[in-house]
Amino acid sequence: MNKTTLQIKMLYNKMGSAEKRIADWLMENPGKIISLSISELAEQCGCGEATLVRFARRLGFGGYQELKISFAREDGSAKTADGISAEDSCFQIFEKVSEDIYCSLEMTKNSLDAQNLETAAKAIMNGKRIMIYGLGNSAAVALDFQHKLMRLGYNAVSFCDNHMQSISASHLTKKDVVIGISHSGSSKDIVDAVKIAKQNGATTISITNNGKSPIVKQSDIALYTASNETKYSILGLNSRIAQLAIINAIYYYISCQDKNSSKTIKTTEESLQSKKF
Amino acid sequence: MNKTTLQIKMLYNKMGSAEKRIADWLMENPGKIISLSISELAEQCGCGEATLVRFARRLGFGGYQELKISFAREDGSAKTADGISAEDSCFQIFEKVSEDIYCSLEMTKNSLDAQNLETAAKAIMNGKRIMIYGLGNSAAVALDFQHKLMRLGYNAVSFCDNHMQSISASHLTKKDVVIGISHSGSSKDIVDAVKIAKQNGATTISITNNGKSPIVKQSDIALYTASNETKYSILGLNSRIAQLAIINAIYYYISCQDKNSSKTIKTTEESLQSKKF
DNA sequence: TCATATATGAAAATAATTTTCAACAGTTAT
DNA sequence: ATAACTGTTGAAAATTATTTTCATATATGA
């Protein structure tokens, strides 16, 4: 599946009935748009030309022509990513997983607030200590974040022990920053620890897939991922990748903004040299 | 070089001076035609619109539009993902990171051997014990893998302590499976541990970005990621995501193939219920 | 040199696209 | 329930793009 098709599917629910008809026609007739003018397509879809222009704009194009060209670029051979089944080879599953990851990243682009992201990155840069809490699935993400921040020379620690999380949170001050990671946003222990940190005046950041979750109430800054994985799993596998993408973005942002970072990164690399063949 | 470009070169000698000017401009400005109207391009080439229409017809197209679309289709390499700079907002960086992740996944699709992937997944399913080794960056990936396999009810353990890695490897048998994760493939301790495991007869699997690395020599099965990140980092951030995608694929594959898994996943979920709000 | 064939671009004709606007549907506030 | 608001829609107008026509220019070969 290509980028444009993907985007159409993502925005489908937000479309009006005429736009949905357009989306449906495009899905059912892959590649055909390329040889049609706006009036011809309007007739096919039973809508006005204006609606087609709006449709194109909504997808981020300048107009109908650009939409058409985008379809031409991205090849008509539209693969449709179905669910994963027992007949699939492991490689086919890999392809589907890639597709879903891509989809989740696009969705996260919509749900992630640019201002919050920037504020969170700056808070981390100014924090005296950075505490990162995650459990289960999110523990690996927390560890990844700690690792990256340490490479940049920051005083970052991650905990995947709920006692340690609460203990560490209880000793924080308003100079410190806490990052709570929970896909559901409802992990009791993480919420507790973040709450304690907030009571102590620390800046609290949460990374979650659920906007209406308890962790958000305890957060000064909430970073939302998005993913459509009800299909074949309760596990938020794709939102996890989106979390990592957010972490990568923050990492790069800090490494660009922080003037010491290039030196620090070099120091890190040097320290690891002897560990390699 | 694409079909249309080739044809233009073939017919070049038969063209008049104005048409040659068009051909020259197109060669010097690859891809630019896509965003230009016929009048704009006519001005660029210093010729009349009519000449452009004739030019397109001569190449076998119905008109200017078709020529334009043909260029759009054949010019896949027009991705303009720049590097990350200090002027970028954190959100812009997130967008670039997403783009790179997508790119890396596509590249990995090419470098990953379907047969090896399947073999690795089956070996894991049949392994008595699964040992996963990673250090630094790769420790988080190893932890993630362990977590997923445990959810499926497998006897999986990850170590990010080089002593524990070697110790555990020294006690393995040919019924066991070892997974060594190293972006560079040159991490001494990981290679050592995998080597020990291999000497003991365990099935060894490696996940790495480097086909010609020491770890591959110690592996029965090598799974290669791919990524282009020389641009702004030594860290293999994107290959890391590709590693996780491989892990996700294996997870789903096993959960489809292993008949007990749905029960096990349910048990896992139940065990976590009390931890949530 | 001249007749013929071909190439060219300005302008006219046609077609495609975009904008405007009024009607309408659904939602929220009063 | 009603008013005010918000967003969707397509017909028609306005704009822009493309194609055709045609007069002129240029080259070719007898």
Side-chain angles (χ1 to χ4, degrees), chain B:
Chain B
M1 193 182 310
N2 65 46
K3 228 171 159 180
T4 312
T5 311
L6 211 60
Q7 216 176 352
I8 291 172
K9 292 204 170 172
M10 270 158 48
L11 293 169
Y12 191 81
N13 292 327
K14 290 179 186 168
M15 291 176 185
S17 65
E19 292 192 335
K20 273 182 182 156
R21 274 203 309 281
I22 297 168
D24 290 342
W25 192 94
L26 289 175
M27 294 303 119
E28 280 166 30
N29 301 277
K32 280 203 185 165
I33 183 182
I34 291 158
S35 53
L36 297 179
S37 75
I38 196 171
S39 329
E40 288 168 327
L41 184 56
E43 202 195 328
Q44 287 285 320
C45 300
C47 70
E49 287 98 331
T51 308
L52 269 166
V53 173
R54 277 189 295 262
F55 181 85
R57 295 257 163 85
R58 186 196 270 275
L59 293 172
F61 298 106
Y64 176 71
Q65 271 305 314
E66 282 186 23
L67 171 71
K68 213 166 107 171
I69 281 172
S70 149
F71 269 100
R73 298 189 93 117
E74 292 171 5
D75 168 47
S77 63
K79 265 186 252 171
T80 43
D82 331 306
I84 290 169
S85 76
E87 282 75 41
D88 289 329
S89 74
C90 203
F91 191 78
Q92 284 172 316
I93 294 176
F94 178 80
E95 288 180 318
K96 287 179 184 179
V97 164
S98 297
E99 190 67 44
D100 284 340
I101 287 173
Y102 187 56
C103 195
S104 296
L105 289 173
E106 284 297 313
M107 288 169 72
T108 298
K109 225 179 266 180
N110 291 326
S111 63
L112 187 63
D113 184 84
Q115 191 54 60
N116 280 359
L117 183 62
E118 196 105 5
T119 313
K122 285 190 176 133
I124 290 167
M125 284 175 75
N126 294 321
K128 195 174 157 206
R129 286 177 293 183
I130 322 292
M131 297 286 161
I132 310 162
Y133 304 147
L135 285 171
N137 240 322
S138 302
V141 179
L143 186 61
D144 188 88
F145 207 170
Q146 172 197 2
H147 174 261
K148 290 204 175 66
L149 290 175
M150 281 183 73
R151 282 204 174 221
L152 290 169
Y154 284 78
N155 192 359
V157 194
S158 74
F159 292 106
C160 57
D161 170 329
N162 61 347
H163 287 214
M164 297 290 273
Q165 288 167 353
S166 287
I167 294 166
S168 65
S170 71
H171 296 119
L172 296 178
T173 71
K174 65 176 193 289
K175 290 180 182 168
D176 302 311
V177 176
V178 153
I179 302 162
I181 304 173
S182 171
H183 168 68
S184 69
S186 308
S187 186
K188 274 183 192 170
D189 299 295
I190 302 292
V191 176
D192 282 351
V194 172
K195 191 175 181 180
I196 293 168
K198 193 176 168 68
Q199 282 164 354
N200 285 315
T203 303
T204 55
I205 300 171
S206 61
I207 305 181
T208 179
N209 202 65
N210 187 352
K212 286 174 188 161
S213 60
I215 202 174
V216 173
K217 294 203 187 86
Q218 305 303 328
S219 313
D220 297 314
I221 309 161
L223 303 176
Y224 299 120
T225 58
S227 57
N228 61 333
E229 32 206 342
T230 44
K231 275 188 288 183
Y232 36 76
S233 164
I234 331 162
L235 271 168
L237 298 202
N238 297 327
S239 86
R240 202 126 288 128
I241 304 277
Q243 290 167 359
L244 290 170
I246 291 175
I247 290 169
N248 280 5
I250 293 175
Y251 168 83
Y252 284 129
Y253 180 78
I254 294 177
S255 71
C256 285
Q257 300 295 318
D258 187 332
K259 274 151 196 162
N260 298 320
S261 74
S262 64
K263 210 182 347 168
T264 318
I265 291 171
K266 214 172 160 188
T267 315
T268 305
E269 288 303 321
E270 280 164 11
S271 76
L272 290 174
Q273 215 47 60
S274 69
K275 317 282 185 209
K276 307 240 174 182
F277 279 112

Side-chain angles (χ1 to χ4, degrees), chain A residues 37-38 49-50 57 63-65:
Chain A
S37 74
I38 196 170
E49 287 99 333
R57 296 258 163 85
Y64 177 72
Q65 271 305 316

Side-chain angles (χ1 to χ4, degrees), chain A residues 113-123 223 253, chain B residues 88-91:
Chain A
D113 185 86
Q115 190 55 57
N116 280 358
L117 183 63
E118 196 105 6
T119 311
K122 286 193 175 129
L223 303 176
Y253 180 77
Chain B
D88 289 329
S89 74
C90 203
F91 191 78

Side-chain angles (χ1 to χ4, degrees), chain A residues 46-243:
Chain A
C47 70
E49 287 99 333
T51 307
L52 270 167
V53 174
R54 275 188 297 261
F55 182 86
R57 296 258 163 85
R58 189 195 269 275
L59 293 173
F61 299 106
Y64 177 72
Q65 271 305 316
E66 282 186 23
L67 171 71
K68 215 166 105 171
I69 281 171
S70 148
F71 270 99
R73 298 189 91 116
E74 292 172 1
D75 189 20
S77 66
K79 273 181 273 171
T80 38
D82 331 307
I84 290 169
S85 78
E87 283 73 44
D88 288 330
S89 74
C90 202
F91 191 78
Q92 285 172 316
I93 295 176
F94 178 80
E95 288 180 319
K96 289 179 182 179
V97 165
S98 297
E99 192 65 49
D100 284 340
I101 287 173
Y102 188 54
C103 194
S104 296
L105 289 173
E106 285 296 315
M107 288 169 73
T108 298
K109 225 179 265 179
N110 290 327
S111 64
L112 187 62
D113 185 86
Q115 190 55 57
N116 280 358
L117 183 63
E118 196 105 6
T119 311
K122 286 193 175 129
I124 291 167
M125 285 177 73
N126 294 321
K128 193 175 159 208
R129 287 177 292 182
I130 322 291
M131 297 288 160
I132 310 164
Y133 304 147
L135 285 171
N137 240 323
S138 303
V141 179
L143 186 60
D144 188 87
F145 207 170
Q146 173 197 0
H147 174 261
K148 289 204 176 68
L149 290 176
M150 280 182 72
R151 281 204 176 222
L152 291 170
Y154 284 78
N155 191 0
V157 193
S158 75
F159 292 106
C160 57
D161 170 329
N162 61 348
H163 287 214
M164 296 291 272
Q165 288 167 352
S166 287
I167 294 167
S168 65
S170 73
H171 295 121
L172 297 178
T173 70
K174 65 175 194 289
K175 288 181 184 166
D176 302 311
V177 176
V178 153
I179 302 163
I181 304 174
S182 171
H183 168 67
S184 69
S186 306
S187 187
K188 274 182 192 170
D189 299 296
I190 302 294
V191 176
D192 282 352
V194 172
K195 191 175 178 179
I196 293 168
K198 193 176 168 70
Q199 281 164 352
N200 285 314
T203 302
T204 57
I205 300 171
S206 62
I207 305 182
T208 179
N209 203 63
N210 187 352
K212 284 172 188 164
S213 60
I215 202 176
V216 173
K217 293 202 188 88
Q218 305 303 329
S219 314
D220 297 315
I221 308 161
L223 303 176
Y224 299 120
T225 58
S227 56
N228 61 333
E229 33 206 340
T230 44
K231 275 189 285 182
Y232 36 76
S233 165
I234 331 163
L235 273 168
L237 298 202
N238 297 327
S239 87
R240 201 126 289 125
I241 304 278
Q243 289 167 358

Side-chain angles (χ1 to χ4, degrees), chain A residues 151-152 258-270:
Chain A
R151 281 204 176 222
L152 291 170
D258 187 331
K259 274 152 197 162
N260 298 320
S261 74
S262 64
K263 208 180 351 169
T264 318
I265 291 171
K266 214 172 162 188
T267 314
T268 305
E269 287 304 320
E270 280 165 10

